[in-house]
Amino acid sequence: MHPRILVATSNLHKVREIREILGPCFKVLSLVDFGLPSPEETGDSLKENARIKAEYGWRKTGLMSIGEDTGLFVKALKWAPGVYSARFFGGDAKENRKRLLYLMEGERDRYAEFRTVLAVYDGKSVRYFEGILPGWITLKERGRGGFGYDPIFIPEGHTITLAEMESFQKNAISHRGRAFRKFLKWLVKKL
Ligand code: IMP
């Protein structure tokens, strides 16, 4: 039987991706499986929010818990929305993409990066893992896969958006995939 691990999120898009990444090694549970609400993201860095989520998950379930926080950092917007990516534009995912593209109208420097920070907590100590995906903000939306800002982000070295990729392609290169694979590497060394 696979060991159980909690990913302290209620975002089912994330849970699906994380299950694809960790699936062969763990039975991945989320806050939804325990009927728990998400904790408030009160930190002002990805690291802090990730830690808040991991500690909350462990406190509520007693399972080894992973807190995951992700942001889109856009150079031309002084690296906004960053840690405030979920709330910055004040709308749902579609509205947020629309507002970001509007702010980027006429902007030539379209560099951006997704950053994910994981905090892993087992009741004793916290470990952090980071994954970064550099790329470019598109001029318009493309693709129906993924979630959040995926339809307006082309990873460096590619010509299609994250939303135009199959999920296995996104996971193979994504910020989240990179962070979780670092976590797996650490875990294997520890065993
Ligand atoms: P959080 O990590 O749940 O706080 O997410 C922050 C914001 O980034 C939300 O608006 C998400 O929809 C968005 N987001 C998180 N991960 C991804 C991703 O892998 N692709 C696109 N958008 C994402």
Side-chain angles (χ1 to χ4, degrees), residues 9 11 14 17 41 46 49 53 68-72 82-87 91-93 96 114-116 146-151 153 162 170 174-176:
T9 182
N11 180 331
K14 285 187 183 180
E17 289 184 7
E41 296 184 22
L46 296 179
N49 282 335
K53 293 178 195 177
E68 189 267 26
D69 206 40
T70 295
L72 177 63
V83 66
Y84 307 108
S85 293
R87 290 160 283 164
D92 60 13
N96 289 350
F114 273 112
R115 295 183 203 155
T116 291
F147 68 100
Y149 296 97
D150 284 348
F153 184 89
L162 285 174
K170 176 183 173 186
S174 76
H175 38 295
R176 186 164 297 108

PDB file of all heavy atoms in Angstrom, residues 9 11 14 17 41 46 49 53 68-72 82-87 91-93 96 114-116 146-151 153 162 170 174-176, ligand 1:
ATOM      1  N   THR A   9      -4.468  21.662   0.183  1.00  0.00           N
ATOM      2  CA  THR A   9      -5.136  22.556  -0.761  1.00  0.00           C
ATOM      3  C   THR A   9      -6.530  22.025  -1.048  1.00  0.00           C
ATOM      4  O   THR A   9      -6.799  20.833  -0.879  1.00  0.00           O
ATOM      5  CB  THR A   9      -4.343  22.659  -2.083  1.00  0.00           C
ATOM      6  OG1 THR A   9      -5.009  23.574  -2.965  1.00  0.00           O
ATOM      7  CG2 THR A   9      -4.231  21.322  -2.790  1.00  0.00           C
ATOM      8  N   ASN A  11      -7.773  23.146  -4.078  1.00  0.00           N
ATOM      9  CA  ASN A  11      -7.790  23.412  -5.514  1.00  0.00           C
ATOM     10  C   ASN A  11      -7.654  22.083  -6.279  1.00  0.00           C
ATOM     11  O   ASN A  11      -6.576  21.493  -6.338  1.00  0.00           O
ATOM     12  CB  ASN A  11      -6.632  24.364  -5.853  1.00  0.00           C
ATOM     13  CG  ASN A  11      -6.573  24.702  -7.336  1.00  0.00           C
ATOM     14  OD1 ASN A  11      -6.989  23.907  -8.186  1.00  0.00           O
ATOM     15  ND2 ASN A  11      -6.053  25.870  -7.655  1.00  0.00           N
ATOM     16  N   LYS A  14      -4.964  21.627  -8.948  1.00  0.00           N
ATOM     17  CA  LYS A  14      -3.637  21.322  -8.395  1.00  0.00           C
ATOM     18  C   LYS A  14      -3.570  19.861  -7.958  1.00  0.00           C
ATOM     19  O   LYS A  14      -2.588  19.173  -8.217  1.00  0.00           O
ATOM     20  CB  LYS A  14      -3.345  22.203  -7.174  1.00  0.00           C
ATOM     21  CG  LYS A  14      -3.003  23.633  -7.479  1.00  0.00           C
ATOM     22  CD  LYS A  14      -2.567  24.319  -6.189  1.00  0.00           C
ATOM     23  CE  LYS A  14      -2.265  25.783  -6.407  1.00  0.00           C
ATOM     24  NZ  LYS A  14      -1.851  26.454  -5.176  1.00  0.00           N
ATOM     25  N   GLU A  17      -2.953  17.519 -10.798  1.00  0.00           N
ATOM     26  CA  GLU A  17      -1.562  17.557 -11.277  1.00  0.00           C
ATOM     27  C   GLU A  17      -0.635  16.851 -10.282  1.00  0.00           C
ATOM     28  O   GLU A  17       0.240  16.082 -10.679  1.00  0.00           O
ATOM     29  CB  GLU A  17      -1.103  19.009 -11.487  1.00  0.00           C
ATOM     30  CG  GLU A  17      -1.753  19.666 -12.681  1.00  0.00           C
ATOM     31  CD  GLU A  17      -1.226  21.074 -12.948  1.00  0.00           C
ATOM     32  OE1 GLU A  17      -0.262  21.514 -12.289  1.00  0.00           O
ATOM     33  OE2 GLU A  17      -1.804  21.745 -13.823  1.00  0.00           O
ATOM     34  N   GLU A  41      -4.566  32.562   3.469  1.00  0.00           N
ATOM     35  CA  GLU A  41      -3.184  32.821   3.035  1.00  0.00           C
ATOM     36  C   GLU A  41      -2.791  34.208   3.508  1.00  0.00           C
ATOM     37  O   GLU A  41      -2.939  35.180   2.793  1.00  0.00           O
ATOM     38  CB  GLU A  41      -3.084  32.717   1.516  1.00  0.00           C
ATOM     39  CG  GLU A  41      -3.392  31.332   1.008  1.00  0.00           C
ATOM     40  CD  GLU A  41      -3.206  31.190  -0.489  1.00  0.00           C
ATOM     41  OE1 GLU A  41      -2.462  31.984  -1.100  1.00  0.00           O
ATOM     42  OE2 GLU A  41      -3.818  30.276  -1.042  1.00  0.00           O
ATOM     43  N   LEU A  46       5.566  33.447  -0.833  1.00  0.00           N
ATOM     44  CA  LEU A  46       5.109  32.096  -1.160  1.00  0.00           C
ATOM     45  C   LEU A  46       5.528  31.137  -0.057  1.00  0.00           C
ATOM     46  O   LEU A  46       4.791  30.237   0.331  1.00  0.00           O
ATOM     47  CB  LEU A  46       5.723  31.632  -2.491  1.00  0.00           C
ATOM     48  CG  LEU A  46       5.346  32.410  -3.759  1.00  0.00           C
ATOM     49  CD1 LEU A  46       6.069  31.804  -4.969  1.00  0.00           C
ATOM     50  CD2 LEU A  46       3.836  32.400  -4.003  1.00  0.00           C
ATOM     51  N   ASN A  49       3.260  31.393   3.025  1.00  0.00           N
ATOM     52  CA  ASN A  49       1.948  30.788   2.769  1.00  0.00           C
ATOM     53  C   ASN A  49       2.049  29.267   2.697  1.00  0.00           C
ATOM     54  O   ASN A  49       1.172  28.556   3.182  1.00  0.00           O
ATOM     55  CB  ASN A  49       1.343  31.328   1.469  1.00  0.00           C
ATOM     56  CG  ASN A  49       0.757  32.714   1.657  1.00  0.00           C
ATOM     57  OD1 ASN A  49       0.382  33.095   2.768  1.00  0.00           O
ATOM     58  ND2 ASN A  49       0.680  33.469   0.573  1.00  0.00           N
ATOM     59  N   LYS A  53       0.073  26.611   5.209  1.00  0.00           N
ATOM     60  CA  LYS A  53      -0.777  25.508   4.721  1.00  0.00           C
ATOM     61  C   LYS A  53      -0.286  24.162   5.250  1.00  0.00           C
ATOM     62  O   LYS A  53      -1.080  23.312   5.645  1.00  0.00           O
ATOM     63  CB  LYS A  53      -0.786  25.499   3.185  1.00  0.00           C
ATOM     64  CG  LYS A  53      -1.467  26.710   2.556  1.00  0.00           C
ATOM     65  CD  LYS A  53      -1.391  26.631   1.030  1.00  0.00           C
ATOM     66  CE  LYS A  53      -1.716  27.956   0.367  1.00  0.00           C
ATOM     67  NZ  LYS A  53      -1.583  27.935  -1.079  1.00  0.00           N
ATOM     68  N   GLU A  68       1.499  24.152  -0.528  1.00  0.00           N
ATOM     69  CA  GLU A  68       1.986  24.533  -1.859  1.00  0.00           C
ATOM     70  C   GLU A  68       1.474  25.915  -2.168  1.00  0.00           C
ATOM     71  O   GLU A  68       0.278  26.158  -2.019  1.00  0.00           O
ATOM     72  CB  GLU A  68       1.452  23.502  -2.867  1.00  0.00           C
ATOM     73  CG  GLU A  68       2.015  23.595  -4.259  1.00  0.00           C
ATOM     74  CD  GLU A  68       1.181  24.443  -5.195  1.00  0.00           C
ATOM     75  OE1 GLU A  68       0.451  25.341  -4.747  1.00  0.00           O
ATOM     76  OE2 GLU A  68       1.268  24.194  -6.399  1.00  0.00           O
ATOM     77  N   ASP A  69       2.345  26.841  -2.536  1.00  0.00           N
ATOM     78  CA  ASP A  69       1.875  28.154  -2.949  1.00  0.00           C
ATOM     79  C   ASP A  69       2.561  28.543  -4.253  1.00  0.00           C
ATOM     80  O   ASP A  69       3.771  28.329  -4.418  1.00  0.00           O
ATOM     81  CB  ASP A  69       2.140  29.198  -1.864  1.00  0.00           C
ATOM     82  CG  ASP A  69       1.161  30.362  -1.962  1.00  0.00           C
ATOM     83  OD1 ASP A  69      -0.030  30.102  -2.224  1.00  0.00           O
ATOM     84  OD2 ASP A  69       1.571  31.525  -1.789  1.00  0.00           O
ATOM     85  N   THR A  70       1.768  29.085  -5.164  1.00  0.00           N
ATOM     86  CA  THR A  70       2.266  29.413  -6.500  1.00  0.00           C
ATOM     87  C   THR A  70       1.904  30.843  -6.855  1.00  0.00           C
ATOM     88  O   THR A  70       0.860  31.345  -6.449  1.00  0.00           O
ATOM     89  CB  THR A  70       1.642  28.447  -7.541  1.00  0.00           C
ATOM     90  OG1 THR A  70       2.103  27.128  -7.276  1.00  0.00           O
ATOM     91  CG2 THR A  70       2.021  28.823  -8.964  1.00  0.00           C
ATOM     92  N   GLY A  71       2.781  31.495  -7.614  1.00  0.00           N
ATOM     93  CA  GLY A  71       2.467  32.835  -8.098  1.00  0.00           C
ATOM     94  C   GLY A  71       3.037  33.047  -9.490  1.00  0.00           C
ATOM     95  O   GLY A  71       3.986  32.366  -9.898  1.00  0.00           O
ATOM     96  N   LEU A  72       2.436  33.989 -10.204  1.00  0.00           N
ATOM     97  CA  LEU A  72       2.945  34.386 -11.520  1.00  0.00           C
ATOM     98  C   LEU A  72       3.608  35.749 -11.348  1.00  0.00           C
ATOM     99  O   LEU A  72       2.961  36.710 -10.905  1.00  0.00           O
ATOM    100  CB  LEU A  72       1.791  34.466 -12.526  1.00  0.00           C
ATOM    101  CG  LEU A  72       2.164  34.944 -13.933  1.00  0.00           C
ATOM    102  CD1 LEU A  72       3.132  33.960 -14.600  1.00  0.00           C
ATOM    103  CD2 LEU A  72       0.908  35.089 -14.795  1.00  0.00           C
ATOM    104  N   GLY A  82       2.563  38.121  -8.508  1.00  0.00           N
ATOM    105  CA  GLY A  82       3.379  37.407  -7.531  1.00  0.00           C
ATOM    106  C   GLY A  82       2.588  36.643  -6.486  1.00  0.00           C
ATOM    107  O   GLY A  82       1.677  35.882  -6.827  1.00  0.00           O
ATOM    108  N   VAL A  83       2.936  36.903  -5.237  1.00  0.00           N
ATOM    109  CA  VAL A  83       2.309  36.140  -4.153  1.00  0.00           C
ATOM    110  C   VAL A  83       0.806  36.428  -4.081  1.00  0.00           C
ATOM    111  O   VAL A  83       0.039  35.638  -3.525  1.00  0.00           O
ATOM    112  CB  VAL A  83       3.018  36.414  -2.805  1.00  0.00           C
ATOM    113  CG1 VAL A  83       2.822  37.837  -2.365  1.00  0.00           C
ATOM    114  CG2 VAL A  83       2.563  35.451  -1.725  1.00  0.00           C
ATOM    115  N   TYR A  84       0.374  37.525  -4.704  1.00  0.00           N
ATOM    116  CA  TYR A  84      -1.048  37.884  -4.656  1.00  0.00           C
ATOM    117  C   TYR A  84      -1.804  37.448  -5.921  1.00  0.00           C
ATOM    118  O   TYR A  84      -2.868  37.988  -6.229  1.00  0.00           O
ATOM    119  CB  TYR A  84      -1.205  39.397  -4.431  1.00  0.00           C
ATOM    120  CG  TYR A  84      -0.435  39.870  -3.225  1.00  0.00           C
ATOM    121  CD1 TYR A  84       0.722  40.638  -3.351  1.00  0.00           C
ATOM    122  CD2 TYR A  84      -0.834  39.490  -1.944  1.00  0.00           C
ATOM    123  CE1 TYR A  84       1.453  41.031  -2.231  1.00  0.00           C
ATOM    124  CE2 TYR A  84      -0.111  39.876  -0.823  1.00  0.00           C
ATOM    125  CZ  TYR A  84       1.025  40.644  -0.976  1.00  0.00           C
ATOM    126  OH  TYR A  84       1.741  41.010   0.137  1.00  0.00           O
ATOM    127  N   SER A  85      -1.243  36.487  -6.653  1.00  0.00           N
ATOM    128  CA  SER A  85      -1.805  36.092  -7.949  1.00  0.00           C
ATOM    129  C   SER A  85      -3.280  35.713  -7.901  1.00  0.00           C
ATOM    130  O   SER A  85      -4.010  35.931  -8.863  1.00  0.00           O
ATOM    131  CB  SER A  85      -1.017  34.921  -8.540  1.00  0.00           C
ATOM    132  OG  SER A  85       0.284  35.349  -8.879  1.00  0.00           O
ATOM    133  N   ALA A  86      -3.718  35.125  -6.788  1.00  0.00           N
ATOM    134  CA  ALA A  86      -5.117  34.693  -6.712  1.00  0.00           C
ATOM    135  C   ALA A  86      -6.051  35.885  -6.517  1.00  0.00           C
ATOM    136  O   ALA A  86      -7.200  35.858  -6.952  1.00  0.00           O
ATOM    137  CB  ALA A  86      -5.294  33.688  -5.577  1.00  0.00           C
ATOM    138  N   ARG A  87      -5.551  36.947  -5.882  1.00  0.00           N
ATOM    139  CA  ARG A  87      -6.446  38.051  -5.470  1.00  0.00           C
ATOM    140  C   ARG A  87      -6.197  39.370  -6.188  1.00  0.00           C
ATOM    141  O   ARG A  87      -7.062  40.230  -6.214  1.00  0.00           O
ATOM    142  CB  ARG A  87      -6.284  38.316  -3.968  1.00  0.00           C
ATOM    143  CG  ARG A  87      -6.828  37.232  -3.095  1.00  0.00           C
ATOM    144  CD  ARG A  87      -6.216  37.296  -1.711  1.00  0.00           C
ATOM    145  NE  ARG A  87      -4.863  36.767  -1.682  1.00  0.00           N
ATOM    146  CZ  ARG A  87      -4.001  36.961  -0.707  1.00  0.00           C
ATOM    147  NH1 ARG A  87      -4.303  37.737   0.300  1.00  0.00           N
ATOM    148  NH2 ARG A  87      -2.798  36.415  -0.752  1.00  0.00           N
ATOM    149  N   GLY A  91     -10.808  38.972  -9.652  1.00  0.00           N
ATOM    150  CA  GLY A  91     -11.863  38.250 -10.360  1.00  0.00           C
ATOM    151  C   GLY A  91     -11.670  36.752 -10.305  1.00  0.00           C
ATOM    152  O   GLY A  91     -10.860  36.242  -9.534  1.00  0.00           O
ATOM    153  N   ASP A  92     -12.452  36.030 -11.135  1.00  0.00           N
ATOM    154  CA  ASP A  92     -12.198  34.600 -11.267  1.00  0.00           C
ATOM    155  C   ASP A  92     -11.055  34.426 -12.266  1.00  0.00           C
ATOM    156  O   ASP A  92     -10.521  35.416 -12.788  1.00  0.00           O
ATOM    157  CB  ASP A  92     -13.467  33.851 -11.698  1.00  0.00           C
ATOM    158  CG  ASP A  92     -14.002  34.334 -13.048  1.00  0.00           C
ATOM    159  OD1 ASP A  92     -13.275  35.059 -13.759  1.00  0.00           O
ATOM    160  OD2 ASP A  92     -15.129  33.985 -13.392  1.00  0.00           O
ATOM    161  N   ALA A  93     -10.682  33.164 -12.542  1.00  0.00           N
ATOM    162  CA  ALA A  93      -9.485  32.937 -13.360  1.00  0.00           C
ATOM    163  C   ALA A  93      -9.575  33.633 -14.722  1.00  0.00           C
ATOM    164  O   ALA A  93      -8.610  34.257 -15.182  1.00  0.00           O
ATOM    165  CB  ALA A  93      -9.261  31.438 -13.534  1.00  0.00           C
ATOM    166  N   ASN A  96      -9.218  37.374 -14.321  1.00  0.00           N
ATOM    167  CA  ASN A  96      -7.828  37.703 -13.965  1.00  0.00           C
ATOM    168  C   ASN A  96      -6.930  37.703 -15.197  1.00  0.00           C
ATOM    169  O   ASN A  96      -6.078  38.579 -15.374  1.00  0.00           O
ATOM    170  CB  ASN A  96      -7.282  36.717 -12.936  1.00  0.00           C
ATOM    171  CG  ASN A  96      -7.912  36.897 -11.579  1.00  0.00           C
ATOM    172  OD1 ASN A  96      -8.615  37.868 -11.337  1.00  0.00           O
ATOM    173  ND2 ASN A  96      -7.676  35.955 -10.682  1.00  0.00           N
ATOM    174  N   PHE A 114       6.515  31.535 -13.467  1.00  0.00           N
ATOM    175  CA  PHE A 114       5.727  30.888 -12.423  1.00  0.00           C
ATOM    176  C   PHE A 114       6.706  30.406 -11.368  1.00  0.00           C
ATOM    177  O   PHE A 114       7.749  29.832 -11.698  1.00  0.00           O
ATOM    178  CB  PHE A 114       4.985  29.661 -12.969  1.00  0.00           C
ATOM    179  CG  PHE A 114       3.650  29.957 -13.573  1.00  0.00           C
ATOM    180  CD1 PHE A 114       3.448  29.815 -14.942  1.00  0.00           C
ATOM    181  CD2 PHE A 114       2.587  30.360 -12.776  1.00  0.00           C
ATOM    182  CE1 PHE A 114       2.211  30.082 -15.491  1.00  0.00           C
ATOM    183  CE2 PHE A 114       1.346  30.623 -13.326  1.00  0.00           C
ATOM    184  CZ  PHE A 114       1.158  30.483 -14.690  1.00  0.00           C
ATOM    185  N   ARG A 115       6.354  30.638 -10.116  1.00  0.00           N
ATOM    186  CA  ARG A 115       7.172  30.099  -9.030  1.00  0.00           C
ATOM    187  C   ARG A 115       6.274  29.330  -8.068  1.00  0.00           C
ATOM    188  O   ARG A 115       5.203  29.828  -7.709  1.00  0.00           O
ATOM    189  CB  ARG A 115       7.852  31.224  -8.240  1.00  0.00           C
ATOM    190  CG  ARG A 115       8.842  32.002  -9.058  1.00  0.00           C
ATOM    191  CD  ARG A 115       9.542  33.054  -8.197  1.00  0.00           C
ATOM    192  NE  ARG A 115      10.064  34.110  -9.051  1.00  0.00           N
ATOM    193  CZ  ARG A 115      10.298  35.357  -8.678  1.00  0.00           C
ATOM    194  NH1 ARG A 115      10.054  35.720  -7.423  1.00  0.00           N
ATOM    195  NH2 ARG A 115      10.773  36.252  -9.527  1.00  0.00           N
ATOM    196  N   THR A 116       6.736  28.152  -7.703  1.00  0.00           N
ATOM    197  CA  THR A 116       6.034  27.331  -6.707  1.00  0.00           C
ATOM    198  C   THR A 116       6.969  27.078  -5.534  1.00  0.00           C
ATOM    199  O   THR A 116       8.134  26.747  -5.744  1.00  0.00           O
ATOM    200  CB  THR A 116       5.633  25.964  -7.300  1.00  0.00           C
ATOM    201  OG1 THR A 116       4.612  26.164  -8.272  1.00  0.00           O
ATOM    202  CG2 THR A 116       5.111  25.015  -6.242  1.00  0.00           C
ATOM    203  N   GLY A 146      -5.200  22.836 -18.568  1.00  0.00           N
ATOM    204  CA  GLY A 146      -4.617  23.507 -17.407  1.00  0.00           C
ATOM    205  C   GLY A 146      -5.639  24.305 -16.622  1.00  0.00           C
ATOM    206  O   GLY A 146      -6.830  24.002 -16.627  1.00  0.00           O
ATOM    207  N   PHE A 147      -5.190  25.372 -15.987  1.00  0.00           N
ATOM    208  CA  PHE A 147      -6.087  26.232 -15.208  1.00  0.00           C
ATOM    209  C   PHE A 147      -5.387  27.565 -14.951  1.00  0.00           C
ATOM    210  O   PHE A 147      -4.236  27.766 -15.370  1.00  0.00           O
ATOM    211  CB  PHE A 147      -6.479  25.546 -13.884  1.00  0.00           C
ATOM    212  CG  PHE A 147      -5.345  25.402 -12.908  1.00  0.00           C
ATOM    213  CD1 PHE A 147      -5.207  26.296 -11.836  1.00  0.00           C
ATOM    214  CD2 PHE A 147      -4.417  24.387 -13.030  1.00  0.00           C
ATOM    215  CE1 PHE A 147      -4.166  26.162 -10.916  1.00  0.00           C
ATOM    216  CE2 PHE A 147      -3.361  24.249 -12.123  1.00  0.00           C
ATOM    217  CZ  PHE A 147      -3.250  25.141 -11.073  1.00  0.00           C
ATOM    218  N   GLY A 148      -6.085  28.456 -14.257  1.00  0.00           N
ATOM    219  CA  GLY A 148      -5.493  29.740 -13.871  1.00  0.00           C
ATOM    220  C   GLY A 148      -4.941  30.512 -15.063  1.00  0.00           C
ATOM    221  O   GLY A 148      -5.630  30.740 -16.059  1.00  0.00           O
ATOM    222  N   TYR A 149      -3.665  30.874 -14.983  1.00  0.00           N
ATOM    223  CA  TYR A 149      -3.051  31.713 -16.013  1.00  0.00           C
ATOM    224  C   TYR A 149      -2.462  30.893 -17.173  1.00  0.00           C
ATOM    225  O   TYR A 149      -1.811  31.452 -18.058  1.00  0.00           O
ATOM    226  CB  TYR A 149      -1.938  32.563 -15.380  1.00  0.00           C
ATOM    227  CG  TYR A 149      -2.457  33.558 -14.353  1.00  0.00           C
ATOM    228  CD1 TYR A 149      -2.433  33.267 -12.989  1.00  0.00           C
ATOM    229  CD2 TYR A 149      -2.977  34.791 -14.738  1.00  0.00           C
ATOM    230  CE1 TYR A 149      -2.912  34.160 -12.035  1.00  0.00           C
ATOM    231  CE2 TYR A 149      -3.458  35.698 -13.799  1.00  0.00           C
ATOM    232  CZ  TYR A 149      -3.416  35.369 -12.448  1.00  0.00           C
ATOM    233  OH  TYR A 149      -3.901  36.267 -11.518  1.00  0.00           O
ATOM    234  N   ASP A 150      -2.669  29.584 -17.184  1.00  0.00           N
ATOM    235  CA  ASP A 150      -2.066  28.723 -18.219  1.00  0.00           C
ATOM    236  C   ASP A 150      -2.329  29.182 -19.662  1.00  0.00           C
ATOM    237  O   ASP A 150      -1.418  29.120 -20.496  1.00  0.00           O
ATOM    238  CB  ASP A 150      -2.529  27.265 -18.062  1.00  0.00           C
ATOM    239  CG  ASP A 150      -1.820  26.561 -16.914  1.00  0.00           C
ATOM    240  OD1 ASP A 150      -0.830  27.111 -16.404  1.00  0.00           O
ATOM    241  OD2 ASP A 150      -2.249  25.452 -16.545  1.00  0.00           O
ATOM    242  N   PRO A 151      -3.550  29.639 -20.011  1.00  0.00           N
ATOM    243  CA  PRO A 151      -3.805  30.001 -21.413  1.00  0.00           C
ATOM    244  C   PRO A 151      -3.035  31.238 -21.895  1.00  0.00           C
ATOM    245  O   PRO A 151      -3.036  31.537 -23.091  1.00  0.00           O
ATOM    246  CB  PRO A 151      -5.318  30.280 -21.451  1.00  0.00           C
ATOM    247  CG  PRO A 151      -5.871  29.596 -20.248  1.00  0.00           C
ATOM    248  CD  PRO A 151      -4.797  29.683 -19.208  1.00  0.00           C
ATOM    249  N   PHE A 153       0.325  31.851 -20.963  1.00  0.00           N
ATOM    250  CA  PHE A 153       1.740  31.695 -20.621  1.00  0.00           C
ATOM    251  C   PHE A 153       2.407  30.651 -21.513  1.00  0.00           C
ATOM    252  O   PHE A 153       1.982  29.493 -21.557  1.00  0.00           O
ATOM    253  CB  PHE A 153       1.869  31.261 -19.151  1.00  0.00           C
ATOM    254  CG  PHE A 153       3.285  31.168 -18.660  1.00  0.00           C
ATOM    255  CD1 PHE A 153       3.923  32.276 -18.113  1.00  0.00           C
ATOM    256  CD2 PHE A 153       3.992  29.975 -18.752  1.00  0.00           C
ATOM    257  CE1 PHE A 153       5.237  32.194 -17.655  1.00  0.00           C
ATOM    258  CE2 PHE A 153       5.306  29.879 -18.298  1.00  0.00           C
ATOM    259  CZ  PHE A 153       5.930  31.005 -17.748  1.00  0.00           C
ATOM    260  N   LEU A 162       0.805  26.745 -21.821  1.00  0.00           N
ATOM    261  CA  LEU A 162       0.620  25.606 -20.908  1.00  0.00           C
ATOM    262  C   LEU A 162      -0.767  24.994 -21.098  1.00  0.00           C
ATOM    263  O   LEU A 162      -0.944  23.794 -20.901  1.00  0.00           O
ATOM    264  CB  LEU A 162       0.781  26.066 -19.455  1.00  0.00           C
ATOM    265  CG  LEU A 162       2.213  26.335 -18.986  1.00  0.00           C
ATOM    266  CD1 LEU A 162       2.196  26.929 -17.568  1.00  0.00           C
ATOM    267  CD2 LEU A 162       3.064  25.060 -18.994  1.00  0.00           C
ATOM    268  N   LYS A 170       2.788  19.420 -19.428  1.00  0.00           N
ATOM    269  CA  LYS A 170       2.891  20.526 -18.470  1.00  0.00           C
ATOM    270  C   LYS A 170       3.640  20.059 -17.220  1.00  0.00           C
ATOM    271  O   LYS A 170       4.584  20.718 -16.767  1.00  0.00           O
ATOM    272  CB  LYS A 170       1.500  21.057 -18.083  1.00  0.00           C
ATOM    273  CG  LYS A 170       1.572  22.136 -17.007  1.00  0.00           C
ATOM    274  CD  LYS A 170       0.239  22.669 -16.519  1.00  0.00           C
ATOM    275  CE  LYS A 170       0.457  23.613 -15.333  1.00  0.00           C
ATOM    276  NZ  LYS A 170      -0.781  24.083 -14.701  1.00  0.00           N
ATOM    277  N   SER A 174       6.749  21.944 -15.599  1.00  0.00           N
ATOM    278  CA  SER A 174       6.157  23.052 -14.826  1.00  0.00           C
ATOM    279  C   SER A 174       6.889  23.339 -13.515  1.00  0.00           C
ATOM    280  O   SER A 174       7.609  22.501 -12.977  1.00  0.00           O
ATOM    281  CB  SER A 174       4.683  22.757 -14.529  1.00  0.00           C
ATOM    282  OG  SER A 174       4.574  21.798 -13.491  1.00  0.00           O
ATOM    283  N   HIS A 175       6.668  24.566 -13.040  1.00  0.00           N
ATOM    284  CA  HIS A 175       7.084  25.018 -11.714  1.00  0.00           C
ATOM    285  C   HIS A 175       6.701  23.979 -10.658  1.00  0.00           C
ATOM    286  O   HIS A 175       7.500  23.590  -9.826  1.00  0.00           O
ATOM    287  CB  HIS A 175       6.405  26.362 -11.428  1.00  0.00           C
ATOM    288  CG  HIS A 175       4.982  26.421 -11.943  1.00  0.00           C
ATOM    289  ND1 HIS A 175       4.691  26.359 -13.279  1.00  0.00           N
ATOM    290  CD2 HIS A 175       3.784  26.450 -11.308  1.00  0.00           C
ATOM    291  CE1 HIS A 175       3.378  26.374 -13.445  1.00  0.00           C
ATOM    292  NE2 HIS A 175       2.809  26.421 -12.270  1.00  0.00           N
ATOM    293  N   ARG A 176       5.431  23.514 -10.723  1.00  0.00           N
ATOM    294  CA  ARG A 176       4.941  22.553  -9.721  1.00  0.00           C
ATOM    295  C   ARG A 176       5.662  21.219  -9.868  1.00  0.00           C
ATOM    296  O   ARG A 176       6.096  20.621  -8.882  1.00  0.00           O
ATOM    297  CB  ARG A 176       3.422  22.391  -9.902  1.00  0.00           C
ATOM    298  CG  ARG A 176       2.749  21.539  -8.851  1.00  0.00           C
ATOM    299  CD  ARG A 176       1.236  21.723  -8.858  1.00  0.00           C
ATOM    300  NE  ARG A 176       0.875  23.075  -8.516  1.00  0.00           N
ATOM    301  CZ  ARG A 176       0.383  23.966  -9.398  1.00  0.00           C
ATOM    302  NH1 ARG A 176       0.163  23.623 -10.648  1.00  0.00           N
ATOM    303  NH2 ARG A 176       0.124  25.198  -9.020  1.00  0.00           N
TER     304      ARG A 176
HETATM  305  P1  IMP B   1      -2.447  29.708  -5.164  1.00  0.00           P
HETATM  306  O1  IMP B   1      -1.136  29.014  -5.144  1.00  0.00           O
HETATM  307  O2  IMP B   1      -3.578  28.709  -5.004  1.00  0.00           O
HETATM  308  O3  IMP B   1      -2.509  30.843  -4.199  1.00  0.00           O
HETATM  309  O4  IMP B   1      -2.645  30.277  -6.627  1.00  0.00           O
HETATM  310  C1  IMP B   1      -2.337  31.597  -7.000  1.00  0.00           C
HETATM  311  C2  IMP B   1      -2.926  31.950  -8.339  1.00  0.00           C
HETATM  312  O5  IMP B   1      -2.096  31.412  -9.362  1.00  0.00           O
HETATM  313  C3  IMP B   1      -4.342  31.454  -8.613  1.00  0.00           C
HETATM  314  O6  IMP B   1      -5.003  32.477  -9.341  1.00  0.00           O
HETATM  315  C4  IMP B   1      -4.140  30.238  -9.474  1.00  0.00           C
HETATM  316  O7  IMP B   1      -5.208  30.044 -10.368  1.00  0.00           O
HETATM  317  C5  IMP B   1      -2.855  30.583 -10.208  1.00  0.00           C
HETATM  318  N1  IMP B   1      -2.085  29.366 -10.460  1.00  0.00           N
HETATM  319  C6  IMP B   1      -1.534  28.523  -9.545  1.00  0.00           C
HETATM  320  N2  IMP B   1      -0.888  27.522 -10.150  1.00  0.00           N
HETATM  321  C7  IMP B   1      -1.022  27.731 -11.484  1.00  0.00           C
HETATM  322  C8  IMP B   1      -0.576  27.007 -12.628  1.00  0.00           C
HETATM  323  O8  IMP B   1       0.064  25.941 -12.564  1.00  0.00           O
HETATM  324  N3  IMP B   1      -0.910  27.537 -13.823  1.00  0.00           N
HETATM  325  C9  IMP B   1      -1.616  28.698 -13.952  1.00  0.00           C
HETATM  326  N4  IMP B   1      -2.064  29.389 -12.923  1.00  0.00           N
HETATM  327  C10 IMP B   1      -1.771  28.916 -11.687  1.00  0.00           C
END
